[in-house]
Amino acid sequence: MLGTKVSFQQACSIIKNGGVVAVPTETVYGLAGDFKNINAIKQIFQIKKRPLWDPLIIHFSSKKELKKLCKYSDPIVEKLSDYFHPGPLTLVLRKNPIVSDLITAGSSKVAIRMPRHPLTLKLMTQTNTCLVAPSANVFSKTSPTRADHVLESLQVPVLNGGPCEVGIESTILEVCFEKKIFSILRPGFIGPKELNSFISRHQLNWKVQQSQSSSFPGSHQKHYQPDIPLILIQTDEEHLPSEGIEKKIKEYYPDCIPQELQLKNNPYIFGREFYHNLKQLSKNKNSVGYIVQKSKSGQCGEDWTALWDRIEKASDKVICY
Ligand code: AMP
Ligand code: MG
């Protein structure tokens, strides 16, 4: 069953027998295994070629699992989960001993979320467990948003759940109880605006901030990288002829054909197709992809923060023009 699509029942047997299977979520496909099975966890690190210092997210399917996985007394945790789950928000909380140190890379904290895809939720209820499920890609490469993307890069069984509806990874939020701060470790489509609505809806005196630290796990600069170079062109110009840009790119990549990946007005529509479009561009090995970031464009607002984070990390080079 390696490198093939499997049925739901086959996926259940794989999980129960300590194997790994790629599963759909609303963000990206995850490479999943039973969180209690050390052998499954080790396979995930091996298959992804992921270094052991980079911890894995645990997915859960019902609120009762929260108390099992994490240690907390503040009701804010359940309020957050009631408000945002199932959905693309990962919470970083103190772990309970049931969560192995291998999952958290030795940290006392664990990252958890409830995904919104019905098949993966059902897989967890039928197997009666939670799933460790980092993105189903080779470490530092572009994340998969369709079953075929997984099969193109990994020899693993895949449960096909169609194209991912969000298309980029979840927001990772560390909950700092003493200072009453929600610290965003990785931006996603749930941003300060949504978190502040949650705060005012519940009349809380919590604050939202971008993490001050640049050394949390997964914050390495190179990430989400396609198989061809991606160039980020930054400019203050409003109208920039593509001939000029392409000539500039050719100074760095003389033998390649520059191809623009055009932004859209709506960040959610762009986000849903972003990794798929990167993978499509990469099919032509002679291409260099490029994205133009205009400082005065509509794509500068908060709704675009997560996308610029992914674009910058996926880029081989930034050219100011
Ligand atoms: P992915 O592998 O794409 O699912 O991404 C999971 C992200 O969550 C990675 O960037 C991890 O480094 C991050 N992560 C997982 N566990 C933790 C944790 N305990 N603390 C902070 N970040 C974490
Ligand atoms: Mg990943």
Side-chain angles (χ1 to χ4, degrees):
M1 283 192 295
L2 284 180
T4 56
K5 292 180 188 165
V6 294
S7 69
F8 179 76
Q9 283 315 326
Q10 286 172 319
C12 289
S13 314
I14 293 169
I15 295 297
K16 283 186 190 152
N17 291 320
V20 299
V21 55
V23 297
T25 80
E26 80 281 32
T27 58
V28 302
Y29 274 71
L31 186 59
D34 182 347
F35 88 109
K36 294 192 293 309
N37 190 306
I38 293 294
N39 196 30
I41 301 166
K42 284 185 181 160
Q43 283 181 64
I44 291 173
F45 277 104
Q46 259 167 19
I47 293 169
K48 276 182 64 79
K49 302 192 176 76
R50 185 171 176 125
L52 290 169
W53 48 257
D54 199 351
L56 308 178
I57 290 181
I58 302 183
H59 291 69
F60 64 96
S61 61
S62 95
K63 299 284 158 64
K64 69 177 191 304
E65 310 285 359
L66 265 173
K67 274 253 177 293
K68 198 157 96 186
L69 299 169
C70 314
K71 221 182 260 154
Y72 58 86
S73 52
D74 196 316
I76 190 100
V77 175
E78 270 147 33
K79 285 193 175 120
L80 272 169
S81 186
D82 285 342
Y83 195 87
F84 290 108
H85 287 154
L89 182 72
T90 297
L91 302 174
V92 174
L93 296 161
R94 295 244 336 260
K95 79 176 187 74
N96 271 330
I98 193 170
V99 175
S100 127
D101 287 336
L102 193 55
I103 295 177
T104 64
S107 165
S108 58
K109 296 196 167 177
V110 62
I112 56 155
R113 86 174 186 101
M114 187 194 283
R116 200 162 58 205
H117 200 291
L119 271 183
T120 296
L121 287 170
K122 194 167 137 202
L123 181 63
M124 288 189 274
T125 35
Q126 293 241 336
T127 53
N128 194 26
T129 194
C130 300
L131 297 173
V132 266
S135 52
N137 55 292
V138 174
F139 182 67
S140 85
K141 304 296 287 183
T142 307
S143 306
T145 54
R146 297 176 182 209
D148 286 336
H149 295 164
V150 180
L151 295 175
E152 282 158 16
S153 67
L154 299 178
Q155 281 284 309
V156 293
V158 183
L159 177 62
N160 185 8
C164 299
E165 73 172 279
V166 174
I168 63 164
E169 300 79 358
S170 61
T171 305
I172 301 186
L173 194 72
E174 184 164 15
V175 185
C176 310
F177 296 100
E178 296 81 37
K179 294 185 179 160
K180 296 197 180 240
I181 287 174
F182 297 133
S183 178
I184 299 178
L185 302 184
R186 173 175 74 186
F189 280 145
I190 295 178
K193 204 165 49 191
E194 289 76 14
L195 291 162
N196 280 316
S197 321
F198 163 80
I199 289 170
S200 48
R201 170 76 67 93
H202 292 88
Q203 299 177 318
L204 302 167
N205 58 345
W206 281 64
K207 290 211 164 10
V208 180
Q209 69 173 37
Q210 210 54 54
S211 171
Q212 306 295 310
S213 156
S214 57
S215 62
F216 52 85
S219 59
H220 39 282
Q221 218 33 47
K222 294 287 167 207
H223 220 139
Y224 322 114
Q225 301 242 316
D227 291 338
I228 55 160
L230 178 71
I231 313 299
L232 176 58
I233 308 283
Q234 292 180 327
T235 180
D236 292 332
E237 302 288 331
E238 279 180 58
H239 303 287
L240 206 57
S242 55
E243 297 77 38
I245 298 175
E246 295 184 2
K247 202 164 153 220
K248 187 84 190 162
I249 291 175
K250 279 194 164 275
E251 286 175 20
Y252 297 94
Y253 301 91
D255 301 324
C256 291
I257 304 157
Q259 289 200 54
E260 184 174 7
L261 211 163
Q262 291 215 329
L263 298 175
K264 293 204 162 33
N265 291 331
N266 184 317
Y268 307 105
I269 293 174
F270 180 78
R272 191 185 304 158
E273 293 293 319
F274 175 49
Y275 291 145
H276 177 66
N277 287 335
L278 275 188
K279 284 173 184 287
Q280 289 299 105
L281 270 189
S282 301
K283 293 210 160 133
N284 183 352
K285 300 290 172 229
N286 295 324
S287 294
V288 187
Y290 72 92
I291 292 179
V292 183
Q293 183 179 32
K294 295 180 180 168
S295 59
K296 297 183 189 110
S297 76
Q299 285 98 2
C300 299
E302 189 189 303
D303 294 348
W304 281 82
T305 306
L307 288 166
W308 289 120
D309 168 73
R310 305 305 188 277
I311 293 169
E312 277 168 28
K313 291 192 172 126
S315 295
D316 204 43
K317 188 181 274 308
V318 178
I319 300 178
C320 298
Y321 197 83

